Amino acid sequence: MGAYLSVPSWWRNLDGRYRLELGQCPDCGAHTFPAEGACVECNSTADFETVEPEGTGEVVAGTTITGGAPPEFADLQTQEGSFGVAVVELDEGARVPGMLTDCDPTTVERGDRVEAVVRRIYEQEGIVRYGVKFRPMD
Amino acid sequence: MRDAYLVGAAQTDFGAFPRESYRSLFSTAFEGAVDSVDGEFDRTEVDEAYVGTLGVGGRQLGLSGPAVTEFVGLDGASCTRVENACAASGTALRQATLAIRAGAADIAIAGGFEVMTDMSGDQTRYWLGVSGETEWERMSGTTFAGVYAQMADAHMAEHGTTREHLSRVAAKNHANGAKNPHAHLGFECSLEDAMNAPGVADPLNLYDCCPTSDGASVAILASEEAAEELTDTPIRVAGAGQASSRVGLFQRPTLTGIPATTDAAEQAYDEAGVEADDIDFAEVHDCFSIAELMAYEDLGFCEKGEAGPYITSGTTEPDGERPVNLSGGLKSKGHPIGATGGGQAVEVFKQLRGEAGDRQVSGLGRGLTHNVGGSGGAVAVHVFEEGWA
C-alpha cells in the first residue's frame, strides 16, 4: 500500500513532474515550486508567471534511505539497494525535493551540483508514473 | 481573561497492546485522569471534549472523537476530533484552554489516542507517511526519518553538530525513560550503543528514531471557579501558543529549524509573561534526535547552532539547570501519535505536583510542552505554572 495519488492528480502536475515548472512571484520576484499556491518568500497569492528552469542546482540537504523505504519505493530498494533523497536548490532559487539517480548516493554531499533528468518514479494502479530525479554533474 | 487550570491528567502505558482497542486505551487514560483529580469530579459536567488522533490504520476515521467519549459515559457532551498529525493532542489541549478562557466551557477535556502496532509493516509505513507533504516530498522517496535526516544533514553542515551530539539525546532520554513505568522502551542505552546502531536514513540511525506505539492520554481542564472546587494544587495554563508552517520542508525558509516552534513559543511566552530562561523544565518533541536539538534552539533555550554544545554541557539532564524530557520523551516513553501531546502534559502535571516517582526533580515551578505535527507543519507550545493566578 503506497501513498495514493490518483492518475488525474498526477496528470494535472505534469509540467512540474517533467520540467520542474516554477512560479515567479509578480510581487517579490522569488520562484516557488510547484507553481501554485502562495509565494514561498512573501506569501503573495498574486498569479505566478510560469518559468521553465534550467534544471540544474545544488544539493542543500540529503539523506540515504537505508532502513524501510516508503511502500511505493520498496521494490526499488530491494532491486537497487539504498537510495538517496535530496533537497535541491535550483539555480533560479526554488527548492525541490528529489531522488538521486545514476550515482552512489553515499558519495553525494551538500553543495554538490546536480541536474534534473526524467526517470520512472513508481507504478500505481497499473500505470507507470514518470518524473524528475537528480543526477550528479561532473 | 479567564484562566484555565489543569486539574487532572493521566496516560496509559505506551507500548504494543494487541488486546486493547482504541476505545479501551482511551478509557484507561480517562479514568486515570478522573482519579488524579483531588476533589469530586462529575463527568456529566464536561462541557467540551477535544480528542486528538491521526486515525492510523483507518479504523474509525469519521467521528473518532465521539466514538471514544461515548465509551466513557460522556454521551451528550460536545466533542470534536482534532487532527494535526503528531501535534493532535497538543492542539486539543489548546482548544480546551481556549474554550475555558472564552467562557464557553467550565470543564473541558483534551486527550488523544493511537493504535499503531497491530498492522503489517507496509500499512505502518503508509500511515507514517501520510503527514509528510504527499504530492512532492513523499514522491521523492523519503520517509519521515528521511526528512528529519535532511534537517540533521543541514544542521551538521551549518553548525558542526556531530554524531555524538545526536546520540546524547537518545542516551539521556532512555536513562529518564528507564524510570518511567509507562515507557514503551523503558531501558537504558549507552552513548556508545546509540552511536553504533544500524542506519535508517543517514545520518540518523535506529537510536535516533522514536518507536511507534499504542496509547492514550487525557487532561482535564477547568475554569478558576470550577478548579477551586476540584483541586488544592492548581496548575495554571499560563501560555498556550500554536503556529503552522509549510508542510513540506523544501518550501520552508530554513532547513535547520522549525519556524512554527519559534512562533508558537513566542506566543506562549508572551501570554505567560516569561522568557525562555524562566522555563524550569520541558517536554519537547523528540520524534528524532535532531528534533530535540532543534527544539533547544527554536524554543530559545540556547543560541541558534549551539544545541550540540548545550546538550553536552548537561544542562538538560535531570540534575542540570533545565531538565528536558524527564518522562523519557518520545524516544523512550513512546509515540502513539494522537496521544503524545497529552502525554507531555501528564509529565508536567506529575512533576509540578511532586508525583513523578523515581524521576521526580525537586524545585520545579514552571514547565513547558512542545508538540510538533509532521516535520513542522503544526506546533503547539504550552507553559504551565504551579499555583493560582
Side-chain angles (χ1 to χ4, degrees):
Chain A
M1 185 178 183
Y4 183 68
L5 287 183
S6 68
V7 172
S9 70
W10 193 270
W11 171 82
R12 66 176 285 277
N13 286 325
L14 288 183
D15 290 333
R17 299 278 174 206
Y18 296 165
R19 289 184 294 281
L20 297 178
E21 187 179 85
L22 308 178
Q24 185 168 24
C25 178
D27 292 334
C28 77
H31 292 86
T32 293
F33 177 84
E36 59 183 5
C39 171
V40 292
E41 189 69 34
C42 73
N43 286 310
S44 167
T45 53
D47 287 346
F48 286 130
E49 294 280 339
T50 55
V51 173
E52 188 162 331
E54 291 296 320
T56 51
E58 72 173 51
V59 172
V60 289
T63 182
T64 303
I65 307 289
T66 51
E72 56 272 24
F73 300 103
D75 285 349
L76 174 82
Q77 194 177 41
T78 304
Q79 291 159 7
E80 300 186 16
S82 302
F83 56 85
V85 184
V87 177
V88 173
E89 187 165 299
L90 299 177
D91 293 333
E92 292 76 8
R95 287 177 178 168
V96 179
M99 192 179 290
L100 299 175
T101 189
D102 301 3
C103 66
D104 171 359
T106 62
T107 64
V108 179
E109 293 183 342
R110 184 183 159 96
D112 284 359
R113 299 280 301 162
V114 292
E115 62 185 343
V117 289
V118 173
R119 288 285 190 272
R120 180 187 191 278
I121 304 294
Y122 80 122
E123 182 178 330
Q124 192 165 45
E125 298 175 325
I127 294 176
V128 176
R129 318 287 178 90
Y130 294 91
V132 158
K133 294 186 183 181
F134 289 97
R135 174 171 69 190
M137 296 168 77
D138 293 330
Chain B
M1 184 179 74
R2 294 185 357 144
D3 271 307
Y5 288 83
L6 184 61
V7 298
Q11 65 165 82
T12 63
D13 291 345
F14 287 176
F17 307 112
R19 301 179 79 86
E20 298 284 344
S21 73
Y22 70 96
R23 284 169 155 151
S24 67
L25 287 166
F26 185 83
S27 175
T28 300
F30 180 78
E31 298 303 337
V34 169
D35 289 346
S36 74
V37 177
D38 295 330
E40 202 64 31
F41 180 75
D42 178 357
R43 71 187 63 198
T44 65
E45 291 184 0
V46 172
D47 299 308
E48 292 281 343
Y50 296 95
V51 179
T53 183
L54 177 61
V56 168
R59 42 207 102 216
Q60 178 74 48
L61 271 184
L63 296 176
S64 39
V68 293
T69 51
E70 68 171 27
F71 201 75
V72 296
L74 298 184
D75 194 41
S78 167
C79 180
T80 305
R81 175 264 182 102
V82 177
E83 192 290 295
N84 242 347
C86 315
S89 50
T91 305
L93 192 63
R94 183 163 173 276
Q95 289 302 310
T97 300
L98 296 184
I100 287 170
R101 287 177 174 177
D106 290 316
I107 296 187
I109 69 162
F113 65 84
E114 213 71 56
V115 175
M116 305 180 71
T117 70
D118 65 346
M119 294 170 291
S120 68
D122 259 11
Q123 281 278 356
T124 302
R125 283 196 288 275
Y126 164 72
W127 279 99
L128 287 183
V130 300
S131 309
E133 197 282 322
T134 304
E135 280 195 309
W136 301 96
E137 192 170 78
R138 171 73 179 249
M139 285 301 125
S140 70
T142 191
T143 55
F144 245 108
V147 176
Y148 275 95
Q150 289 171 341
M151 293 192 244
D153 181 49
H155 204 280
M156 291 166 109
E158 285 183 29
H159 301 301
T161 302
T162 65
R163 165 75 270 158
E164 182 180 319
H165 293 145
L166 295 172
S167 291
R168 281 183 177 275
V169 175
K172 171 179 71 70
N173 292 351
H174 270 283
N176 290 345
K179 296 178 185 164
N180 186 344
H182 292 305
H184 185 172
L185 304 177
F187 52 81
E188 293 195 8
C189 159
S190 70
L191 181 60
E192 190 180 16
D193 284 349
M195 289 177 70
N196 293 306
V200 171
D202 182 63
L204 301 185
N205 69 34
L206 191 61
Y207 272 95
D208 291 309
C209 308
C210 73
T212 57
S213 315
D214 306 333
S217 61
V218 170
I220 300 173
L221 289 97
S223 64
E224 184 160 336
E225 200 179 351
E228 282 170 353
E229 303 294 313
L230 291 170
T231 189
D232 311 318
T233 46
I235 292 166
R236 188 169 65 97
V237 185
Q242 190 182 329
S244 66
S245 188
R246 303 275 175 158
V247 177
L249 175 65
F250 66 99
Q251 287 204 333
R252 289 193 213 135
T254 175
L255 301 169
T256 58
I258 293 180
T261 294
T262 306
D263 293 345
E266 193 177 308
Q267 292 171 33
Y269 294 155
D270 281 353
E271 281 190 4
V274 301
E275 295 175 2
D277 279 351
D278 301 320
I279 301 298
D280 295 336
F281 72 112
E283 289 285 306
V284 310
H285 199 93
D286 59 325
C287 50
F288 298 95
S289 55
I290 184 63
E292 178 161 330
L293 297 183
M294 292 191 300
Y296 294 163
E297 299 172 4
D298 295 335
L299 292 168
F301 294 170
C302 68
E303 294 294 315
K304 183 74 193 162
E306 292 298 314
Y310 184 69
I311 191 168
T312 305
S313 74
T315 306
T316 58
E317 296 282 346
D319 60 355
E321 275 175 39
R322 182 180 296 123
V324 172
N325 284 335
L326 286 167
S327 71
L330 284 60
K331 176 69 200 81
S332 170
K333 188 172 75 167
H335 184 26
I337 292 177
T340 289
Q344 295 176 324
V346 171
E347 182 67 14
V348 170
F349 180 77
K350 287 185 174 174
Q351 289 286 350
L352 288 177
R353 289 166 58 99
E355 297 169 355
D358 290 347
R359 60 188 192 285
Q360 181 68 48
V361 171
S362 61
L364 302 175
R366 184 182 291 115
L368 174 147
T369 60
H370 163 249
N371 192 198
V372 179
S375 66
V379 175
V381 173
H382 288 82
V383 174
F384 299 88
E385 286 177 7
E386 194 182 6
W388 300 106

